[in-house]
Amino acid sequence: MTTFLQVATTIDGEAAAQRLARAVVEARLAACVQVQGPLHSTYHWQGDVETATEWLCTMKTSAAKLPALEAKIGELHSYDVPEIVATEIVAGSAAYLAWLAAELEESEA
């Protein structure tokens, strides 16, 4: 049985978020990407407390695709250490999960 994930990353601009979303969907590393923002983040970076306006990209993928998706995010991302957090989808509608499986299988054929 396929393990599906939601993978989140934040990025520094709406255009960059849309480029990332399109690139990972076109490469079939994610079946879907939702872009939300702007949002405001506060975090420690290099000894200081920083704030930034960011956009959140939530990607639906499989565990098998995660290494390639991580690599693509790293390639396209402007941050030195981009957030890449994966959460397992433990339940979902059968029809939606079947759609995810079908969309992600295309690049494996």
Side-chain angles (χ1 to χ4, degrees):
M1 183 170 170
T2 302
T3 299
F4 294 107
L5 307 172
Q6 281 197 144
V7 178
T9 192
T10 53
I11 198 161
D12 61 356
E14 184 176 11
Q18 295 297 342
R19 278 191 301 276
L20 175 64
R22 185 163 196 89
V24 300
V25 170
E26 284 180 346
R28 294 205 183 260
L29 297 175
C32 171
V33 180
Q34 295 163 320
V35 175
Q36 298 173 310
L39 55 94
H40 304 283
S41 298
T42 303
Y43 52 91
H44 279 278
W45 181 248
Q46 299 180 339
D48 292 319
V49 175
E50 302 281 340
T51 59
T53 300
E54 299 179 302
W55 276 256
L56 173 65
C57 299
T58 305
M59 298 161 261
K60 280 58 166 209
T61 194
S62 65
K65 301 264 183 180
L66 183 58
L69 178 60
E70 284 183 277
K72 182 61 97 175
I73 292 168
E75 173 189 321
L76 298 173
H77 213 292
S78 64
Y79 294 175
D80 292 339
V81 182
E83 171 188 9
I84 302 173
V85 178
T87 304
E88 186 174 350
I89 298 172
V90 297
S93 74
Y96 184 76
L97 297 178
W99 175 79
L100 280 179
E103 292 305 309
L104 293 168
E105 285 177 7
E106 291 293 319
S107 66
E108 296 173 347

